[in-house]
């Protein structure tokens, strides 16, 4: 006989008498009741430069530049403010959730991540610029658009 290869079932602790077995956990509330306190998340929208130009005509638009500080200093969309992991919490807490938000980065990828964050925090109108600042600059260069501020090279 092979010792040590016995089933371990007999080593399990015995049930104590007088105790009921496992009780099924019953939720105190249904999921519907739990959801009533939560607002549904409004998804952000990806937009092109033409729609972004129309948005910029609105007086209540918040424009956020997700590029690095050096790129922001070199050039940015007029009225934009820089946003990064260092000031993200401050920007979120200082901005009314009903104000429209336009976020752009270099090529439109990082801005989508930030737009999702703003959307998750309950902002109701969030936009990510497809193609990022590169697409915006291409549009502005082709039309002589004054909506870009740039330092002299």
């Amino acid at each position: 006989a092979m010792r040590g290869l016995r089933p371990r079932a007999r080593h399990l602790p015995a049930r104590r008498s007088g105790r009921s077995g496992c009780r099924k956990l019953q939720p105190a509330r249904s999921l519907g009741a739990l959801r009533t306190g939560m607002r549904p998340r409004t998804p952000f929208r990806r937009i092109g430069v033409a729609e972004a130009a129309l948005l910029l005509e609105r007086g209540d638009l918040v424009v956020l530049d997700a590029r690095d500080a050096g790129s922001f200093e070199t050039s940015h969309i007029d009225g934009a403010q820089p946003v990064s992991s260092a000031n993200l919490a401050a920007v979120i807490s200082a901005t009314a959730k009903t104000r429209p938000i336009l976020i752009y980065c270099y090529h439109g990828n990082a801005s989508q991540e930030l737009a999702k964050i703003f959307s998750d925090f309950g902002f109701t109108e969030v936009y990510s610029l497809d193609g990022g600042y590169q697409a915006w600059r291409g549009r502005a260069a082709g039309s002589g658009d004054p909506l870009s501020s740039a330092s002299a090279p």
Side-chain angles (χ1 to χ4, degrees), residues 71-151:
S71 296
F72 179 81
E73 290 299 321
T74 302
S75 63
H76 56 270
I77 296 175
D78 278 349
Q81 57 182 310
V83 65
S84 67
S85 57
N87 71 342
L88 181 61
V91 171
I92 287 173
S93 64
T95 307
K97 300 207 183 319
T98 55
R99 288 191 64 187
I101 310 285
L102 172 63
I103 306 171
Y104 68 93
C105 58
Y106 294 101
H107 302 289
N109 297 319
S111 61
Q112 290 180 50
E113 294 297 320
L114 279 173
K116 183 180 181 318
I117 290 170
F118 276 83
S119 180
D120 287 345
F121 271 91
F123 287 82
T124 57
E125 196 176 351
V126 183
Y127 304 93
S128 171
L129 180 59
D130 274 350
Y133 190 72
Q134 182 177 9
W136 177 261
R137 194 167 149 166
R139 175 200 174 275
S143 66
D145 193 337
L147 294 176
S148 261
S149 60
S151 304

Side-chain angles (χ1 to χ4, degrees), residues 27-41:
R29 297 182 186 167
S30 69
L31 286 177
L34 290 175
R35 288 188 184 129
T36 57
M38 295 174 50
R39 279 188 290 166
R41 181 175 77 84

